[in-house]
Amino acid sequence: MTAAANSVPWEFQHPMVGEATFPVEEVRRDFPILHQQVYGHPLVYLDNAATSQKPRAVIDAISHYYERDNANIHRGVHFLSEHATEEHEAARRTVQRFLNAADKREIIFVRSATEGINLVAQTYGRKHVGAGDEVVITAMEHHSNIVPWQMLCEEKDARLRVIPINDRGELMMEELPKLLSKRTKLLAVTHVSNALGTITPLRKIIEIAHSHGVPVVVDGAQAVPHLKVDVQELDCDFYVFSGHKVYGPTGIGVLYGKRALLEAMPPYQGGGDMIRSVTFEKTLYNDLPYKFEAGTPNIGGAIGLGAAIDYVNHLGIDNIAAHEHDLLIYATEALSAIPDIRIIGTAAQKAAVISFIIEGIHPHDIGTILDRSGIAIRTGHHCAQPVMQRFRIPATARASFAMYNTRGEVDALVEGIQKVKEVFA
Ligand code: C6P
């Protein structure tokens, strides 16, 4: 393998590129966890696609909620309950503005991106997909956007169709129209691939799907922390993401759905809060969004997510994207210059994720040796086994960047990889 094989024709540049223009050191001070040593080395956290670290503002918002405001919501007439309800609903409005959803009733709080996709599969999917119908996904999906559709297809005797990817890890868009027919009931696609970093041409995909009358579910788990997302501009029908990847806590996520679709869908789970009235003869369901929020929700989680989005907004998602793009270019060039490295995923449009393999060294060995230098990356199939099958590899090592990473940390990664190579020389 040669370095030249990795050269990437970057087709997009952000107006503000370069670490100097982004207050990265100031940002780092906001993240307490970053300031520690691991095995005697400063922590270099490059596993952000798995989960991102939390700024002080998010930690404080969650602590404050449990110290001062904790109460169950939508149920009590007392001060704390009303206050907690207001904070929870304020977080919903923050998410609505963040995604530019038309209506706050279109924002459903769920546990995670995974739960959001399962909700759509089990409600919209079960209602609309029947025997002989088809659901279209892509070859770069995370298992969370494969298995729920597979389960649905098995149950309904329907068929899963897959848009293939090319050697650079880009969708083969010319195949899309061939996969759409009267039988197609849904298309589910990621916005950004966690294993390859590819940003998919969502606007185009949605346009083509809609021209065939097919609604589109978008897995935004890897997009929301890195790109401006405008669900009205995209015109997607459903969009999901997880709080913990966008500097918020675990256990909270969001499903956006167009109101008319959500209104017509049956509920997902039954329980408290999702009802208007219950008798043994019949239950009347609540209005949106509560129809889909059975039981006591993750109130502190929603408040923490709201604080995380406020933090992102304060810095500006476009500024964050520009900083991360700078890191992506810098790291791609540095890694490409190392002999025997092959980058898996060289799409023209990429988020700041670099999957790579080194000839003759198992990715797990790369990860373990880097860890001893304080460098955290992820190794394995990244819950995207079909991507590994497509590239005929068992696993990759993956460095994924966030707003608080620096060029210095990329240098540490490169140095660490040199050490790995020396061990196996
Ligand atoms: N990817 C990664 O290391 P949850 O677990 O529901 O928060 O997110 C699931 C998920 C869905 N879609 C994509 C594109 C994802 O990347 C993930 C999570 C992590 O890549 C953990 S496997």
Side-chain angles (χ1 to χ4, degrees), residues 49-50 112-114 142 144 194 219 221-222 242 244-245 378 383 398:
S112 58
T114 301
H142 184 277
S144 292
N194 68 319
D219 174 359
Q222 297 292 349
S242 290
H244 71 93
K245 292 190 202 287
R378 183 169 173 188
C383 300
R398 182 189 71 182

Side-chain angles (χ1 to χ4, degrees), residues 15-16 21 28 37 40 54 58 72 84 127 140 142 158 166 208 251 262 294 321 334 342 344 347 365 398 402 410:
M16 189 193 83
T21 48
R28 289 180 70 78
Q37 304 256 312
K54 319 305 168 201
V58 169
N72 211 330
K127 185 170 171 180
M140 68 172 80
H142 184 277
N166 65 21
I208 295 171
L262 292 173
R342 181 177 153 212
I344 306 294
D365 292 327
R398 182 189 71 182
V410 174

Side-chain angles (χ1 to χ4, degrees), residues 85-282:
T85 303
E86 176 42 41
E87 282 191 90
H88 189 252
E89 292 310 307
R92 196 188 306 277
R93 288 192 295 275
T94 301
V95 174
Q96 179 204 342
R97 285 192 296 272
F98 188 54
L99 297 181
N100 192 30
D103 192 313
K104 86 180 178 80
R105 288 169 288 190
E106 297 179 319
I107 303 299
I108 317 288
F109 282 126
V110 288
R111 186 167 55 85
S112 58
T114 301
E115 189 176 50
I117 295 167
N118 277 278
L119 190 160
V120 179
Q122 293 300 314
T123 57
Y124 185 92
R126 268 182 146 175
K127 185 170 171 180
H128 293 279
V129 176
D133 286 339
E134 295 181 350
V135 174
V136 175
I137 61 169
T138 86
M140 68 172 80
E141 299 308 316
H142 184 277
H143 296 165
S144 292
N145 207 21
I146 301 174
V147 184
W149 306 116
Q150 230 162 20
M151 288 163 65
L152 176 72
C153 288
E154 261 171 39
E155 181 188 321
K156 297 288 187 173
D157 205 11
R159 184 172 171 211
L160 200 62
R161 310 287 311 266
V162 183
I163 309 169
I165 54 179
N166 65 21
D167 289 342
R168 288 164 52 149
E170 294 163 328
L171 286 179
M172 295 171 67
M173 287 293 287
E174 66 280 12
E175 299 299 315
L176 173 56
K178 299 180 208 162
L179 290 168
L180 298 170
S181 73
K182 283 199 302 293
R183 292 185 297 274
T184 316
K185 292 294 179 280
L186 259 175
L187 188 154
V189 57
T190 195
H191 197 166
V192 172
S193 156
N194 68 319
L196 302 166
T198 310
I199 302 173
T200 57
L202 258 195
R203 192 65 212 91
K204 190 86 206 134
I205 294 168
I206 292 166
E207 220 174 83
I208 295 171
H210 283 178
S211 72
H212 288 75
V214 176
V216 179
V217 184
V218 181
D219 174 359
Q222 297 292 349
V224 156
H226 309 293
L227 310 169
K228 172 91 197 94
V229 174
D230 183 329
V231 291
Q232 292 189 76
E233 195 182 305
L234 286 171
D235 198 24
C236 53
D237 300 279
F238 300 98
Y239 195 101
V240 303
F241 72 92
S242 290
H244 71 93
K245 292 190 202 287
V246 62
Y247 311 103
T250 49
I252 187 78
V254 169
L255 163 66
Y256 157 82
K258 282 183 180 164
R259 193 172 147 205
L261 294 175
L262 292 173
E263 299 271 17
M265 278 155 57
Y268 178 44
Q269 295 179 329
D273 239 22
M274 54 77 73
I275 55 92
R276 184 187 294 286
S277 75
V278 179
T279 65
F280 288 121
E281 287 69 43
K282 187 167 177 57

Side-chain angles (χ1 to χ4, degrees), residues 1-10 328-346 350 354-357 410 413-414 417-418 421:
M1 276 178 282
T2 61
N6 286 326
S7 66
V8 176
W10 299 103
L328 175 67
I329 293 173
Y330 185 74
T332 302
E333 283 172 2
L335 263 59
S336 301
I338 302 174
D340 300 328
I341 274 201
R342 181 177 153 212
I343 293 177
I344 306 294
T346 51
K350 268 189 82 173
I354 303 184
S355 258
F356 61 95
I357 54 175
V410 174
L413 172 68
V414 170
I417 292 172
Q418 303 288 11
K421 290 191 68 185

